[in-house]
Amino acid sequence: MTTPAARDRSRPVGSGSRLGVRARVLLVVVSLSALGLLLAGLLAFVAQSRAVDAQIDQALNQTVSEFQQLAAEGTDPETGTSFTDARTLIYATMQLSIPTTNEGMIGIIGDRIALTAPPAVQLRLEDDPELVAALAGASQGERIVLRTLTTAQRTYRFAVIPVHVERGGADGALVTGFDQDAEHARFNQVFRVYAYVALGAIAVVALAGAWISSRALRPITALRETAQVITESDLSRRIAVTGNDDLSELARTVNAMLDRLEDAFVSQRQLLDDVGHELRTPVTIVRGHLELMDPDDPDDARTTRDIAMGELLRMQRLVDDLMTLATVAHPDFVRPTPTDVGRLTDDVLDVLRPLAPRRWVVDARATSTLLVDAQRITQALVQLAANAVRYSAEGSTIAVGSAVQDGRLRFWVRDEGVGIASDEVPRVFERFVRGDRGRGTHDGAGLGLAIVTAIAQAHGGRAWVESVQGVGSTFTIDLPAATRPAPLPQAGPADGEHSGTEHDAGEERNEQWPRS
């Protein structure tokens, strides 16, 4: 047997609705606000519509009064006497009347339309066959009639004024009317604006109601709302933990799980962005060499094949290396070998030529043999050159160079582009940062300069930029001038460092891109 106390303890909590308390309160408030605004708008619409119809009738009645006054007191301008026929009276009335924008007139003599309004009148009553048919027999009427007629073209509100002259002649009728739809359209725009304002007001009410109800119910819903935000939109949010009970332990466990999930998602996004960004440039180089290759020249074909194979091997290595880009301190990230720096500088220039029609030159070349990873340095310089191509004009100069000074090996890429804004310089080497620089929108995930920094730091060095807007930029990679293996590199400087440097030593070679 169940006791009343047991029944009370087992009673379900809530109203049975799928909506929460805040949602139900908000729904009631918004619904009442919307209903009030709708009723107010409908009442105002009906009142304004009736006012427009009253104004049309007032204008028609005024025309009737003016016609009656002219018929009773007016004189024929040709004879100077009273009007003797319907045609002359109707014509004089139409000449004296100035129709408004949506008003028109016609004169009927007998059973046909004999008089029409001047060409400047926009509403042409005679052009609507249904209206003309409805006016059949108008000249035979005995009294003035105000009517409303809807045809395929529009809705008319018009007055029919029969004209009978006692001295003889054919009977006639003066018809003056308004385009009722056009007259109503004048104030319809006002109610469209009202509708937009009403929607905005409802939105404000909804936002205010949501904020008020949220604050009122915050002690009850704080944990649930935080958990929903975490699971649906933002992995960086964490549940606030207070106390040491079971709920606190659960919140700590969920926070730890979210830490692991966020790290996994960030690594995955970075990997996908890096792969897409890094594979574009090698593909462009291979395609450019293949397009320029002379298939009938064995030496050219062999050289192009060697370059293509080198790029394909680098692409294969990129796919493997990008898997570990998040851990740039991995020992295999760079594999330094004794490298002729001057020869490497020349080889890089040969690789860069097909990128774009620029004036490719060597500022200077070092003559030393030092420990560097030639493929990684090529990768970094290609990234910098591709960046320079994006932000420089066709035919401008892009220079590469290398130099050894004070125990440091420096590579650089110099362009004559539009430069970088001073407020963007400190952040250009950060991942996923793509400054506008006043140069428009360019493809890329904003990873190229971050990869350059990673390569420099993996060699125990750093990267920076000097830039003057309207003049150009110089990106520099500064490495230890090592001749024997060094210990694992320590953490490099902060991303985006942009101190200056001077370039000297070495000889200069200028080569210009061949124009077709």
Side-chain angles (χ1 to χ4, degrees):
M1 183 175 181
T2 304
T3 64
R7 286 196 298 271
D8 289 343
R9 288 195 299 269
S10 63
R11 184 176 299 163
V13 178
S15 63
S17 172
R18 292 180 179 270
L19 296 176
V21 176
R22 187 180 70 170
R24 292 198 299 272
V25 172
L26 188 60
L27 180 62
V28 171
V29 172
V30 172
S31 298
L32 291 176
S33 300
L35 181 61
L37 291 170
L38 178 62
L39 290 177
L42 288 176
L43 291 175
F45 182 88
V46 171
Q48 184 64 30
S49 180
R50 291 181 177 177
V52 170
D53 291 340
Q55 291 175 1
I56 293 175
D57 286 350
Q58 181 180 1
L60 292 175
N61 288 325
Q62 181 177 353
T63 301
V64 170
S65 298
E66 292 173 353
F67 174 83
Q68 291 174 336
Q69 182 178 3
L70 180 64
E73 303 175 3
T75 58
D76 188 335
E78 294 183 0
T79 63
T81 61
S82 299
F83 293 97
T84 58
D85 62 274
R87 181 186 182 91
T88 305
L89 177 57
I90 294 172
Y91 178 80
T93 302
M94 295 178 67
Q95 290 295 315
L96 295 174
S97 299
I98 303 177
T100 60
T101 303
N102 298 312
E103 183 181 8
M105 287 183 172
I106 56 174
I108 301 175
I109 303 299
D111 293 327
R112 65 183 185 86
I113 298 175
L115 299 170
T116 60
V121 177
Q122 297 180 4
L123 183 62
R124 312 304 301 183
L125 301 181
E126 68 274 13
D127 292 341
D128 192 330
E130 294 182 60
L131 175 63
V132 173
L135 293 175
S139 59
Q140 307 301 320
E142 297 297 330
R143 60 188 181 87
I144 299 172
V145 178
L146 268 64
R147 292 182 54 189
T148 301
L149 176 67
T150 300
T151 69
Q153 297 185 12
R154 58 181 59 87
T155 297
Y156 298 94
R157 181 66 174 171
F158 60 94
V160 179
I161 309 172
V163 181
H164 305 293
V165 180
E166 296 179 356
R167 300 181 182 179
D171 294 334
L174 172 64
V175 180
T176 178
F178 284 83
D179 183 346
Q180 195 174 38
D181 293 336
E183 289 294 314
H184 281 267
R186 290 183 176 182
F187 75 87
N188 286 345
Q189 178 63 30
V190 175
F191 284 94
R192 279 193 289 270
V193 174
Y194 172 85
Y196 296 142
V197 173
L199 290 175
I202 292 173
V204 171
V205 169
L207 292 175
W211 182 77
I212 294 173
S213 61
S214 176
R215 290 186 61 86
L217 300 175
R218 182 175 297 173
I220 301 173
T221 60
L223 181 60
R224 177 181 59 83
E225 291 179 351
T226 303
Q228 285 179 341
V229 172
I230 291 173
T231 57
E232 293 177 3
S233 62
D234 187 3
L235 285 173
S236 66
R237 293 285 296 275
R238 297 295 180 266
I239 300 173
V241 180
T242 57
N244 294 306
D245 55 11
D246 293 340
L247 185 58
S248 299
E249 290 301 320
L250 176 61
R252 292 189 182 94
T253 302
V254 172
N255 285 342
M257 178 188 67
L258 290 171
D259 289 338
R260 295 190 296 272
L261 287 174
E262 185 177 21
D263 291 341
F265 284 137
V266 168
S267 297
Q268 183 185 47
R269 284 195 296 265
Q270 288 182 349
L271 174 63
L272 294 175
D273 289 334
D274 288 349
V275 169
H277 184 277
E278 278 295 294
L279 292 183
R280 281 196 191 99
T281 302
V283 169
T284 302
I285 292 174
V286 172
R287 184 176 63 186
H289 278 284
L290 291 176
E291 289 175 350
L292 295 175
M293 182 187 69
D294 183 1
D296 298 326
D297 186 348
D299 292 335
D300 190 19
R302 184 164 46 254
T303 301
T304 301
R305 176 188 176 278
D306 292 340
I307 293 175
M309 289 300 298
E311 292 302 312
L312 291 175
L313 289 174
R314 188 159 66 88
M315 290 169 62
Q316 180 180 359
R317 183 175 166 191
L318 282 175
V319 172
D320 296 334
D321 290 345
L322 287 173
M323 300 292 293
T324 58
L325 186 60
T327 56
V328 294
H330 194 280
D332 294 332
F333 184 72
V334 294
R335 293 188 281 272
T337 59
T339 303
D340 184 338
V341 178
R343 176 65 181 274
L344 175 60
T345 305
D346 291 338
D347 291 343
V348 168
L349 183 69
D350 293 335
V351 170
L352 296 180
R353 284 198 192 100
L355 280 181
R358 301 293 188 272
R359 183 174 177 267
W360 299 96
V361 301
V362 171
D363 274 344
R365 67 173 63 80
T367 57
S368 305
T369 298
L370 300 173
L371 282 176
V372 295
D373 186 329
Q375 287 192 343
R376 288 297 186 192
I377 295 300
T378 299
Q379 177 185 353
L381 293 176
V382 168
Q383 286 291 345
L384 295 177
N387 193 66
V389 166
R390 291 189 190 101
Y391 302 116
S392 62
E394 181 176 340
S396 62
T397 297
I398 297 179
V400 297
S402 61
V404 176
Q405 180 182 1
D406 299 330
R408 307 293 295 180
L409 169 61
R410 290 174 179 166
F411 295 94
W412 63 87
V413 174
R414 175 176 57 83
D415 67 67
E416 296 177 347
V418 298
I420 306 171
S422 58
D423 59 337
E424 294 178 4
V425 168
R427 300 181 62 241
V428 294
F429 287 97
E430 296 177 7
R431 285 191 178 195
F432 307 109
V433 172
R434 297 172 63 248
D436 182 277
R437 309 185 204 174
R439 309 172 185 185
T441 302
H442 300 278
D443 293 337
L447 294 166
L449 297 181
I451 293 172
V452 171
T453 300
I455 293 173
Q457 291 179 349
H459 280 84
R462 58 176 183 163
W464 73 80
V465 61
E466 296 174 279
S467 184
V468 178
Q469 282 192 291
V471 177
S473 304
T474 300
F475 287 83
T476 302
I477 300 174
D478 181 81
L479 312 175
T483 57
R484 59 184 178 179
L488 290 178
Q490 302 298 317
D495 287 346
E497 184 167 347
H498 51 284
S499 57
T501 183
E502 294 182 358
H503 312 306
D504 58 354
E507 62 187 78
E508 178 175 345
R509 181 182 73 181
N510 293 331
E511 298 185 4
Q512 187 167 355
W513 175 271
R515 297 185 179 272
S516 56

